[in-house]
Amino acid sequence: MTTLWRIKMDVPETLNFAIFVGYAFKILPDIVFDDKVNKWPVKKYSIEESLSHDELREAWIDWWGGLLKGRQESKQKLSRPHTDGITSQKFKDLCEEVWPDFHEWWSMPAGGHMAMTTYTTMGNGEVRALIKEFEERLGRSVQRFSLEVDLVYAGIGEVMEVSSDYVVMPITPPPYYNTEWWRKKISEIG
């Protein structure tokens, strides 16, 4: 039997760096992002008085939107320290300032990228079970679909649906714990 569906999870350095920058300077927008935990990064950075907090937040929002669009369209890796698309030189300089700390965290042998990668396969059985449940309920196979899921360490409290076939999820709680979201998504695309 041929599988008609594909769910691909990735842990993009680009999006995680952007969230790290947002936390570091406390510029995550409240509407979508969860900045209440404030556990990451441990070192907090300060913004010079000559820089506008609102201006930096707007630059971050533009950058984030560009990163999502780039991930959705091509899944390309961006050059380090991922400042492509940033038009504000002040903001770009701040990103370059925090890059070494992010890179150190990201490269930890038992943390960062390595730890997050475990979430890309964890829960595959649970998602398969939800798809099987959907198929049994409808008495037919799920329709062909492909879903790209990018995982971020922190920053977002809920699943961020960028498009019908691309979402960004936090790793806390683990992505497969959100069974209600998965059931809804499978019903929409299956």
Side-chain angles (χ1 to χ4, degrees):
M1 181 174 177
T2 305
T3 302
L4 299 175
W5 55 272
R6 180 180 77 91
I7 298 171
K8 181 179 180 270
M9 290 194 180
D10 193 16
V11 182
E13 187 176 43
T14 53
L15 299 184
N16 281 282
F17 177 56
I19 298 279
F20 187 93
V21 169
Y23 268 110
F25 294 106
K26 298 182 181 192
I27 56 174
L28 291 176
D30 299 332
I31 297 169
V32 177
F33 296 89
D34 180 9
D35 194 10
K36 293 171 188 64
V37 179
N38 264 341
K39 63 182 177 194
W40 189 57
V42 174
K43 176 182 175 183
K44 295 299 178 206
Y45 295 82
S46 60
I47 300 172
E48 294 176 26
E49 287 184 25
S50 64
L51 300 174
S52 160
H53 195 264
D54 291 337
E55 176 187 347
L56 294 177
R57 179 173 277 148
E58 287 304 314
W60 187 91
I61 291 168
D62 290 345
W63 179 44
W64 177 257
L67 290 174
L68 290 178
K69 186 176 180 186
R71 293 285 302 163
Q72 183 179 3
E73 291 175 355
S74 65
K75 299 291 178 195
Q76 68 186 14
K77 295 199 182 265
L78 301 177
S79 63
R80 291 187 178 141
H82 306 310
T83 55
D84 294 348
I86 297 175
T87 56
S88 164
Q89 187 59 48
K90 292 175 186 178
F91 183 58
K92 187 180 277 195
D93 292 345
L94 289 175
C95 290
E96 290 171 356
E97 177 186 338
V98 301
W99 171 254
D101 289 335
F102 171 79
H103 186 65
E104 181 181 341
W105 174 82
W106 188 252
S107 303
M108 290 176 9
H113 183 253
M114 292 302 291
M116 287 183 66
T117 300
T118 61
Y119 289 93
T120 62
T121 56
M122 186 186 296
N124 285 347
E126 287 85 347
V127 173
R128 280 190 185 94
L130 292 172
I131 291 172
K132 184 176 172 77
E133 173 188 299
F134 173 82
E135 291 176 331
E136 289 173 354
R137 190 170 31 112
L138 292 183
R140 65 167 175 82
S141 294
V142 70
Q143 294 178 25
R144 184 177 306 274
F145 74 86
S146 177
L147 180 63
E148 302 283 338
V149 180
D150 279 343
L151 302 176
V152 292
Y153 177 70
I156 62 174
E158 299 291 326
V159 176
M160 181 181 290
E161 295 199 41
V162 180
S163 69
S164 62
D165 60 353
Y166 174 54
V167 300
V168 180
M169 290 182 157
I171 63 165
T172 306
Y176 63 90
Y177 277 24
N178 195 345
T179 55
E180 287 310 307
W181 181 86
W182 281 105
R183 280 188 178 99
K184 180 178 170 250
K185 189 65 175 176
I186 293 164
S187 292
E188 287 174 8
I189 59 182

